Amino acid sequence: MLKLIIGDHNYSSWSLRPWLAAKQAGLPFEEISIHLRQATTKAEILKYSPTGKIPCLIDGETVVWESLSICEYLAEKAPTLWPSGSKARAEARSIASEMHSGFAALRQEMPLDVRASQPYLQQSMELKADMARIVSIWEDCRQRYGHEGHFLFGHFTNADAMYAPVVFRFLTYHVELPEASRKYVEALVALPAMQEWRQACIAEAG
Ligand SMILES: N[C@@H](CCC(=O)N[C@@H](CS)C(=O)NCC(=O)O)C(=O)O
């Protein structure tokens, strides 16, 4: 069985991405959770991941690290994790890569904290720009692919998995959104897997 090594549910946005992709694809996996920010964290992670970072996926002899690479690996087993059309697939990969490599201000100023609930008022110019870019991606995808389903490219894909932590962030930081983006957030957070992740965050608090 696949083994997915993840961090604390409440804080590890990178872990949520492949975890959600695997759940949505119906791929069974064993979850191994390592507490972040502990004296033993690095040594624990290094037992599995050559970078000392999670998430990391183990499939027999194969080790896959970096959240987007793991999502790609999962899509080899479950091809619906990318759109079937070449144009949509290219776009989905582009926005997934954009999320993987960008949005530094969003990461720094709005860290994932699923249990929290507080408006974030002191938004820097960089954070505003990151949020505006994300909203424009969502609005554009929903406008062009909305007739095919509730997610960015109609059915759930790795693009949704990559943006799932932003959905939690926009909810916990009370970010106001235009209608299509708001409905997208509602659809994603309503997924049973997203609710399962949220419950795990609550359970972690003890
Ligand atoms: N680019 C990596 C980022 C992974 C990452 O930064 N993971 C953090 C937790 S969310 C981590 O492992 N931190 C542990 C540490 O640095 O000791 C990915 O996409 O997987």
Side-chain angles (χ1 to χ4, degrees):
M1 191 192 279
L2 295 172
K3 280 194 184 111
L4 184 64
I5 325 306
I6 61 170
D8 304 76
H9 297 77
N10 196 55
Y11 303 114
S12 184
S13 60
W14 295 112
S15 299
L16 169 57
R17 295 171 168 116
W19 183 94
L20 183 62
K23 286 273 171 181
Q24 285 301 113
L27 294 168
F29 63 93
E30 181 192 342
E31 179 181 314
I32 299 169
S33 182
I34 296 174
H35 284 302
L36 299 170
R37 303 172 196 163
Q38 309 292 313
T40 55
T41 297
K42 202 49 116 189
E44 277 298 307
I45 296 177
L46 280 167
K47 287 184 193 163
Y48 305 98
S49 168
T51 58
K53 301 250 183 225
I54 45 86
C56 174
L57 183 79
I58 315 241
D59 185 11
E61 298 287 299
T62 308
V63 181
V64 194
W65 60 95
E66 289 291 324
S67 52
L68 186 53
S69 306
I70 300 172
C71 288
E72 286 283 6
Y73 188 80
L74 296 174
E76 287 182 20
K77 296 180 184 293
T80 61
L81 282 173
W82 290 120
S84 57
S86 145
K87 181 172 186 293
R89 197 165 56 250
E91 289 172 0
R93 283 198 159 111
S94 297
I95 65 164
S97 301
E98 191 177 343
M99 172 44 73
H100 190 239
S101 63
F103 303 114
L106 181 93
R107 281 185 224 303
Q108 227 168 21
E109 294 181 46
M110 280 190 168
L112 183 70
D113 184 352
V114 179
R115 290 193 299 268
S117 175
Q118 53 186 9
Y120 187 83
L121 302 173
Q122 290 170 328
Q123 298 173 357
S124 68
M125 294 295 285
E126 291 80 8
L127 174 60
K128 282 183 183 158
D130 279 359
M131 292 198 298
R133 172 65 190 147
I134 290 169
V135 167
S136 89
I137 290 170
W138 289 359
E139 293 286 313
D140 176 53
C141 284
R142 291 301 303 146
Q143 192 193 340
R144 290 186 298 120
Y145 298 102
H147 61 282
E148 294 177 30
H150 296 300
F151 301 103
L152 293 176
F153 293 87
H155 73 275
F156 182 96
T157 68
N158 276 332
D160 301 292
M162 291 304 290
Y163 283 82
V166 180
V167 161
F168 273 139
R169 281 177 168 107
F170 281 1
L171 284 170
T172 55
Y173 292 101
H174 302 212
V175 174
E176 283 186 25
L177 296 169
E179 193 186 355
S181 294
R182 190 172 47 74
K183 285 193 171 153
Y184 170 63
V185 164
E186 282 169 10
L188 203 80
V189 83
L191 288 173
M194 286 288 274
Q195 290 305 314
E196 188 183 331
W197 186 272
R198 199 206 282 271
Q199 286 310 316
C201 296
I202 293 165
E204 266 169 11

